[in-house]
Amino acid sequence: MKTVIVTDSTAYIPKEVRERYHIEMIPLSVVLNGETYEEEVDLTAEQFYEEMKLGHKLPTSSQPSVGRFVQLFERLGKEYDAVISIHLSSGISGTYQGAVSAGKMVDSIKVFAYDSEISCMAQGFYAIDAAKMAAEGKEPEEIFARLDELKASTRAYFMVDDLSNLQRGGRLSSAQAMIGSLLNIKPLLHFVDKVIVPFEKIRTRKKALNRIFDLLGEDADKGIPLKASIIHANREEEAKEFQKELSQKYPNVDFSISYFGPVIATHLGEGAIGMTWMLK
Ligand code: MYR
């Protein structure tokens, strides 16, 4: 079966990497200053962070329409037998559900939607592995098994400079009282059952970052080959320093740097930073 991989823009896989592995991308959008932009198509992360410095009111984000998915799947149906469409967690966006609905409307290609239960480069790693397998002619079932294996090994922790964007956008799942007690600190956040919840209350950015590194260390010290991505919201220099330090410390971990683009940064805000790692 000839299979193609689709993922959405929130994986933030650079264009040249998508092209190298023949990964199709469907964009989510942000509404900024009254204008709608498809991220990674007509708004880059750099442009978004520049715009945000102008003090616009908080942008909003939206998922691709079902029609857009149908169009994409129909185009792919002319060349492929199956599509595996890998999306950000269904607990924070309706994108995955959009792919499922569109799949039921298209006859020319078999559509398998996959809920990454996460986002950003963790989802990106899934899409890249899936695309490599599709290129080797692997069947969708084998690709799904690999995705589940990666998912089971995935860890991701992140922190934001200011929790209020996440709270206002309704993407922080926790009791209101708990959120109140977190607003003045830098809690570490992670995903549990598809939604974002606080992992630990930590007071300072430095301590939160060190805690992420310790958590990575617990897995990296087992010596198994891992891949990891440091993900930042306009903090590239800081991310590069971490990459240098951590690569020396953990030679069994393949580190890369990725970013929070417009849609995710709408909810996390500039200055957010996180890390994901999983089996290589
Ligand atoms: C939509 O409008 O459908 C998109 C909503 C996106 C919510 C994003 C919430 C933050 C996700 C953080 C991911 C961190 C992964 C390491």
Side-chain angles (χ1 to χ4, degrees):
M1 196 179 280
K2 204 172 164 206
T3 303
V4 60
I5 305 303
V6 167
T7 194
D8 60 71
S9 54
T10 69
Y12 303 116
I13 304 176
K15 191 163 186 259
E16 65 277 9
V17 179
R18 277 190 265 124
E19 284 173 356
R20 189 179 325 143
Y21 295 111
H22 306 293
I23 297 171
E24 294 279 339
M25 186 274 280
I26 185 158
L28 279 80
S29 302
V30 286
V31 180
L32 177 63
N33 212 15
E35 294 282 330
T36 303
Y37 300 91
E38 289 185 340
E39 67 167 358
E40 306 285 276
V41 177
D42 41 37
L43 185 70
T44 65
E46 292 73 27
Q47 289 164 338
F48 175 80
Y49 290 117
E50 277 307 307
E51 279 293 322
M52 290 313 290
K53 288 197 193 347
L54 305 177
H56 300 305
K57 86 177 209 310
L58 192 67
T60 54
S61 64
S62 60
Q63 67 201 57
S65 66
V66 173
R68 179 79 188 246
F69 269 113
V70 169
Q71 239 177 21
L72 172 63
F73 294 156
E74 277 176 346
R75 171 167 69 76
L76 295 173
K78 296 190 179 125
E79 208 185 324
Y80 297 93
D81 307 305
V83 51
I84 298 180
S85 206
I86 303 173
H87 299 292
L88 77 162
S89 178
S90 60
I92 55 170
S93 172
T95 304
Y96 163 79
Q97 201 44 55
V100 172
S101 305
K104 292 184 185 147
M105 297 176 192
V106 175
D107 293 326
S108 56
I109 188 165
K110 268 183 162 240
V111 178
F112 301 92
Y114 190 81
D115 183 351
S116 74
E117 302 185 28
I118 191 126
S119 179
C120 303
M121 201 53 204
Q123 176 187 330
F125 282 144
Y126 298 174
I128 293 169
D129 263 36
K132 286 181 185 166
M133 291 180 77
E136 288 163 9
K138 298 279 194 293
E139 292 297 312
E141 292 70 23
E142 290 173 84
I143 301 178
F144 259 71
R146 171 65 177 162
L147 290 173
D148 284 346
E149 182 188 29
L150 284 179
K151 190 190 272 183
S153 76
T154 298
R155 304 283 173 267
Y157 299 93
F158 55 103
M159 50 162 295
V160 298
D161 260 353
D162 177 2
L163 267 184
S164 54
N165 289 9
L166 258 182
Q167 189 201 12
R168 270 183 273 165
R171 261 58 177 217
L172 186 59
S173 301
S174 209
Q176 202 56 36
M178 168 82 166
I179 294 174
S181 73
L182 293 175
L183 281 176
N184 295 324
I185 60 172
K186 310 273 175 223
L188 269 194
L189 304 168
H190 70 156
F191 278 79
V192 176
D193 294 336
K194 306 178 187 176
V195 297
I196 300 171
V197 293
F199 173 69
E200 266 175 20
K201 287 187 183 186
I202 298 188
R203 226 144 259 295
T204 65
R205 183 178 173 89
K206 194 164 186 324
K207 283 189 181 147
L209 285 166
N210 285 335
R211 182 68 177 119
I212 299 182
F213 301 154
D214 288 348
L215 289 160
L216 166 78
E218 285 171 18
D219 285 342
D221 282 339
K222 293 176 193 153
I224 41 173
L226 300 174
K227 55 186 170 223
S229 186
I230 301 160
I231 314 171
H232 67 92
N234 212 19
R235 293 291 179 274
E236 192 169 8
E237 287 313 310
E238 203 181 5
K240 280 184 180 160
E241 278 171 34
F242 297 147
Q243 183 186 29
K244 199 169 153 208
E245 213 175 287
L246 294 168
S247 306
Q248 282 164 359
K249 198 162 172 193
Y250 302 115
N252 54 320
V253 185
D254 207 347
F255 288 96
S256 57
I257 294 180
S258 183
Y259 56 92
F260 294 117
V263 165
I264 299 295
T266 289
H267 298 271
L268 299 188
E270 187 173 345
I273 193 150
M275 181 150 55
T276 183
W277 61 93
M278 65 187 73
L279 287 179
K280 200 161 167 187

